[in-house]
Amino acid sequence: MKMATYSVLSGSVALITLQNPPVNALSEAVRTGITDAVQRTLKDPQVTSVVICGQNGRFCGGADIREFAGPMSGPPLVPMIHALEAMEKPVVAAIEGLALGGGLELALGCHYRIAHSQALLGLPEVTLGLLPAAGGSQRLPRLIGLPAALDLITTGRHISASEALKLGIVDQVTDDNALKMAVEFARSVVGQPLGPRRLSTRPCHSPPDVDSVLDQALAQVWQRGRGALAPVACVGALRAAATLPYAQGMEKERELMATLFNSGQARALQYAFFSQRVVGKWQPSGARWDNSTTRTIRKAAVIGLGTMGRGIVVALALAGVSVVAVESQEKQLAAARQMVPEMLQRGAGRRGLDTPPGVISFSSGLEDVSEVELVIEAVFEDMALKRRIFSRLATVCRPGTVLCSNTSGLDIDQLAEATQNPALVVGMHFFAPAHVMKLLEVVCGPRSSPEAVATAMVLGKRMGKVSVAVGNCPGFVGNRMLKPYMEQANFLLEEGATPQQVDEALEGFGFPMGVFRMSDLSGLDVGWRVRKEAGLTEQGVEPTRMRQGQRYSPLPDQMCEGGRLGQKTGRGWYRYDGPGGRVARSDPWVQNFLETYRARHGLVPRRIATEEILERCLYALTNEGFNILQDGVAAGPEDIDVIYVFGYGWPRHRGGPMFHAGQVGLARVLEKLEHYQHSHPDVPHLKPSSLLRRLVAAGSPPVQKWREFISKDRVHSQL
Ligand SMILES: CCCCCCC/C=C/C(=O)SCCNC(=O)CCNC(=O)[C@H](O)C(C)(C)COP(=O)(O)OP(=O)(O)OC[C@H]1O[C@@H](n2cnc3c(N)ncnc32)[C@H](O)[C@@H]1OP(=O)(O)O
C-alpha cells in the first residue's frame, strides 16, 4: 500500500513514515498521507515533536517521476512542506539510505536533519530537466550559502552524509540507527525556539561579488550543458534566492519550473532515466536479468594491450577482478607495464580508494591465462588474427572459461566457430577509454549460451558500465548506425561543405564533438582498417565514387593514404600542434584537397544549409536504428538510445536518436528521408526503413509503445 503512516511513539513523538517502495517517492498517496499526518499532529496535544522517516531504510527518492506524465492531482508539495516548516513542534527528518530531489526538499522543510553515515543526499532534478521546485532552490542557499548550492543544484550530484554534514545540510550523522537517534533528538529539542530553524525565514548569505559568482556559474553551465535548459534555469532560481526576498524567490522558482516542466528536454531526460532502467531488465538469448545463472569472475585475462586493452585491464582491476594482461609485442608490453599502474592509481583515487582492489600481472604469452575464468580479447580488428587467438585460447584455458571479444563490429559467430565450445563466446564491446566510458555492448552470438551472456552482463555492471545486450551483425548497434551517419558527412564534403561546417552543425545540436573532430581523435585508420577488411578500399572496375554498386566516398581513404590519420599524426581533417596535439585548427591543406577532389570528379560545390547537414546525418543514422529494431538486433528503442547517449555523445537532453525521431514526428522523418533518397538514389542508407513506414501508417505511436508494436508486427509477419 503506497501512503504515509502516522503513529505516536511513547505518547509524545509523532512518527510519519513514507511508504512507497522501492524509493518512497512522493506520489499523490504519500503526499496525502503526509498532509493528513501533519493535521493529526497539530490536533494532538500529547504530541510534542515529530519525526519523518522512510520505510525499509530509504528516506525518499523525490517526487514520483512517473506522475509527471499525467495531470497533477493531490496535495502539491510546496504548501505541504510549508505546513511542516510552520509547525510549532520540532520536526526532525531521519535520513536513511537516500534523500534525493523532493525528498531532500522535504527534509529541508524540517527543522532538523539526522542522517545515517551511508545515506546519499542530493538535488538531482537538473538531470531530469527540472529544478528543485519544492522550495529547494530557495532553502538550500539559505542553509549552505550560494556557491555550494550552485554546485549541488546545477550538477545534481549525490553527496555522502559526511559531506552533507561538512556543508551544514544535516545536523548529525550516525553509524547507528538514524531513526532511533532522530527520535531521541526530537525529544531533546522540544521547547527550543524554532524560528532560526525555519530556512525560509533566513537571509541568503551571498558573497560580496554575487553577480560575478552567478555569471561565472552561468558561463560554466552553458559550456557544460551543450544547449541544456535546466542548468541555466537552476542558476536563474539561485539568482532569485540571492537577490530577492523568499516569497519572490519562490514565485521565480515556480515560473522557471513551469517552463521546464513542459519542455521537450524534460520529457527527453525523464525518458533517458527510465530507458536506462528498461535496458537494465535485459533478457536476450534466454538469459534474464533477474534469474540467470552467472559465473562469478574473480580472475580474468585481457589479450592485447593497446589503448583499448589497457583500459579494460584497469576497469577490471577497479572492479576487484585479478587480471592477467597479455601482450606479445615487447614494446607494447613495456608501455603497458608503465601506463597501466598509473591509470589504475588515478582511477582508484577518483573512487576514493587508497589501493586498487584487483591485482594485475603482465605476460607475453597466452599460456599464462590457463587459470582464469574469463578472457577478453582486445587485439586489433583482424578476423584471421582473432580467430587464431580464439582457437588457441580454446586449448589453453580450462573448460568452461568464458571467451569474449572486444571487437567493435566483427562477426562473433565466426570467432565462436574457431573454438570447441561456441556457447561460451560473447562480445564485450567497450568504448575508449574503456576505464572511463560507461557503455558496454554485450554481443550475443547465435550460439552464445544464456550463462555466458548473463556472465558478461553482470561483469559489465560490476565494472560500473551500462551494459546493453545486442545481437550479432556487422557493427552491432552503435557502429552499424554510425556508418550511414559518417557516410553522409563525407558526401556533404564532396558536395561543398567543409569539415568545420559539418562539425559546427552537429556540435550546435549538442554533440560534444562533430564527426570529423571525433574521427581525428579516434584515428582515421580505425575505419580505414575496417573498410579494407570489407574490400571497400579496392577500386576494381567501378568508378572511383562507387563501390559494390553504391555511392562511396574515397575521401577518408585518401586522407589515410597521405598519412593524415588525425591527432596522432598531427594532421587529419584539422591540423594540430604536432603529433598528439589536441587543439583542432582549420587547415588550408584540407580546403585545397577538397577543392581539387571536387574539380577532378566534376562536382560543383554548393552552399549547404545547417538544416540539411543535420537532417541527412541524423536521419540516416536513425533510419538504420529502425532497421536494427526490425532485425531484432536491439530489443527496443530504449536500448539504441542508451547506447547513443552513453557511447556516442548523443545529447542526453535530446533523449537519443529514436526518441528524437518521435519528437520530430515520424511522418516528418519519413518525408525527409524520401526527399533525400529521391536526390541521392545511389545511397541505400537513405531508403526509409519499412518499420518506419509501418509505424507511420499505424499513426506514429509514442516511443514507449514501439516494443509492443514490433513484437506484434513480428508475429503478424510470421503468420
Ligand atoms: C509542478 C510540479 C512541482 C513538483 C516539484 C518537484 C520538485 C521535485 C522534483 C523531484 O524530486 S524529481 C525526482 C528527483 N529524484 C531523482 O532524480 C532520483 C531518481 N532515482 C534514482 O536516481 C535512483 O532510482 C535511486 C533513487 C538512486 C535508486 O537507485 P537504485 O539503483 O537502487 O534503483 P533503481 O533501479 O534506479 O530504481 C528502482 C525503481 O524505482 C524507480 N524510481 C526511482 N526513483 C523514482 C522516482 N523519484 N519516482 C518514481 N520512480 C522512481 C525506478 O524507476 C525503478 O523502477 P523499476 O524500473 O523497478 O520499475
Side-chain angles (χ1 to χ4, degrees), residues 215-232:
D215 292 347
Q216 229 174 319
L218 198 57
Q220 210 172 32
V221 299
W222 270 117
Q223 204 211 350
R224 261 198 325 239
R226 299 187 268 137
L229 299 172
V232 177

Side-chain angles (χ1 to χ4, degrees), residues 549-568:
Q550 303 173 11
R551 181 172 168 189
Y552 177 81
S553 174
L555 276 171
D557 299 340
Q558 292 179 6
M559 295 279 284
C560 291
E561 283 156 16
R564 298 186 70 104
L565 304 184
Q567 287 187 3
K568 64 175 120 179

Side-chain angles (χ1 to χ4, degrees), residues 233-246:
C234 287
V235 176
L238 284 156
R239 190 181 290 276
T243 55
L244 297 173
Y246 175 78

